[in-house]
């Protein structure tokens, strides 16, 4: 399956991906941009996952004439402005340690490990610069069925970040099939760990609740 759209064919986006791949690295669109393109929903943010470390991404992007902003170096992310378009470029990662609010991550060259640390299967979809979809965890079937499921063990995903409880309801409200009902395993895991929400900041809870309440 392939995705398409003005965002993926934008000259700046294509030039950035080409610069990374010509340097011997992967450049894969990931998450919301792939998910929304498959659902024919507007794409607002462009996220790119790569096996290149942030300092390498910076060197490659700057050599190509693009501006780089170190927006999240602790998490392996830099923002690359290419011909007027912002791209969040993040190195493949896997979790080393989590406490329900924050994660200590390590870099990896394995897209499968990167996918396994994500929250929901529909967010663990990738695509190369030609639009070819890469589905390490079988999330495409879930997305097309509008079925929201946690990646792997639901309780483990929630213990990594308790905000995922609120995200579970928000993503179901936005992308789930109302007639299909909510995922029973995910719902049970949320109920089992509901007290974890108290450990989150007001700001994170408030931002997520506003998104939830704006769902169609």
């Amino acid at each position: 399956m392939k995705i398409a759209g003005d965002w993926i064919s934008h000259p700046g986006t294509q030039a950035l991906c080409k610069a990374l791949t010509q340097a011997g690295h992967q450049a894969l669109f990931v998450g919301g941009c792939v998910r929304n393109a498959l659902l024919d929903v507007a794409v607002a943010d462009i996220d790119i996952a790569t096996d290149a470390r942030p300092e390498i991404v910076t060197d490659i992007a700057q050599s190509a004439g693009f501006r780089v902003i170190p927006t999240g170096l602790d998490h392996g992310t830099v923002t690359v402005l290419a011909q007027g378009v912002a791209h969040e470029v993040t190195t493949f990662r896997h979790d080393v340690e989590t406490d329900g609010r924050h994660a200590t991550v390590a870099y990896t060259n394995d897209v499968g490990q990167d996918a396994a640390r994500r929250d929901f299967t529909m967010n663990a979809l990738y695509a190369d610069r030609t639009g070819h979809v890469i589905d390490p965890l079988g999330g495409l079937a879930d997305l097309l069925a509008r079925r929201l499921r946690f990646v792997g063990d639901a309780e483990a995903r929630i213990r990594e970040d308790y905000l995922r409880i609120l995200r579970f309801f928000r993503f179901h409200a936005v992308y789930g099939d109302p007639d299909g009902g909510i995922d029973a395993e995910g719902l049970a895991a949320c109920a089992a760990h509901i007290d974890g929400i108290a450990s989150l900041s007001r700001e994170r809870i408030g931002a997520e609740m506003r998104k939830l309440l704006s769902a169609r």
Side-chain angles (χ1 to χ4, degrees):
M1 182 171 286
K2 295 186 73 172
I3 57 174
D6 292 344
W7 67 273
I8 196 172
S9 61
H10 186 278
T13 300
Q14 285 294 311
L16 172 58
C17 291
K18 186 176 181 180
L20 287 166
T21 55
Q22 285 186 336
H25 298 286
Q26 297 185 66
L28 301 176
F29 301 109
V30 64
C33 58
V34 179
R35 178 196 66 228
N36 284 16
L38 285 164
L39 294 176
D40 197 25
V41 175
V43 170
D45 302 307
I46 302 177
D47 292 305
I48 296 174
T50 180
D51 55 349
R53 302 304 194 255
E55 63 275 12
I56 301 298
V57 174
T58 298
D59 289 343
I60 293 171
Q62 289 178 337
S63 295
F66 304 136
R67 181 185 174 199
V68 180
I69 305 170
T71 45
L73 285 179
D74 290 345
H75 302 286
T77 302
V78 297
T79 299
V80 179
L81 300 177
Q83 299 186 32
V85 175
H87 309 79
E88 298 289 313
V89 184
T90 303
T91 305
F92 294 156
R93 302 169 295 173
H94 66 91
D95 290 337
V96 174
E97 184 178 359
T98 60
D99 63 5
R101 294 176 298 168
H102 309 290
T104 300
V105 299
Y107 298 140
T108 178
N109 294 323
D110 184 356
V111 67
Q113 285 188 320
D114 188 75
R117 72 175 300 276
R118 296 182 181 273
D119 50 7
F120 309 119
T121 58
M122 65 171 57
N123 290 337
L125 294 166
Y126 302 75
D128 64 21
R129 68 186 183 95
T130 71
H132 175 73
V133 174
I134 300 166
D135 181 14
L137 303 179
L140 182 58
D142 285 337
L143 176 67
L144 297 181
R146 291 187 175 268
R147 180 172 54 237
L148 183 70
R149 291 195 307 119
F150 282 99
V151 169
D153 181 71
E155 291 200 31
R157 297 291 78 75
I158 289 173
R159 286 194 298 269
E160 291 166 355
D161 185 352
Y162 293 114
L163 190 70
R164 288 173 173 172
I165 293 174
L166 299 181
R167 285 173 60 83
F168 177 73
F169 292 100
R170 194 246 296 186
F171 271 77
H172 178 72
V174 176
Y175 298 106
D177 176 9
D179 295 329
I182 201 163
D183 178 68
E185 179 186 354
L187 183 62
C190 290
H193 295 280
I194 194 69
D195 290 345
I197 291 179
S199 68
L200 301 173
S201 70
R202 292 181 180 180
E203 290 77 14
R204 295 188 77 202
I205 294 173
E208 194 60 39
M209 287 300 296
R210 285 190 290 273
K211 292 176 183 177
L212 170 60
L213 293 171
S214 67
R216 177 176 55 85

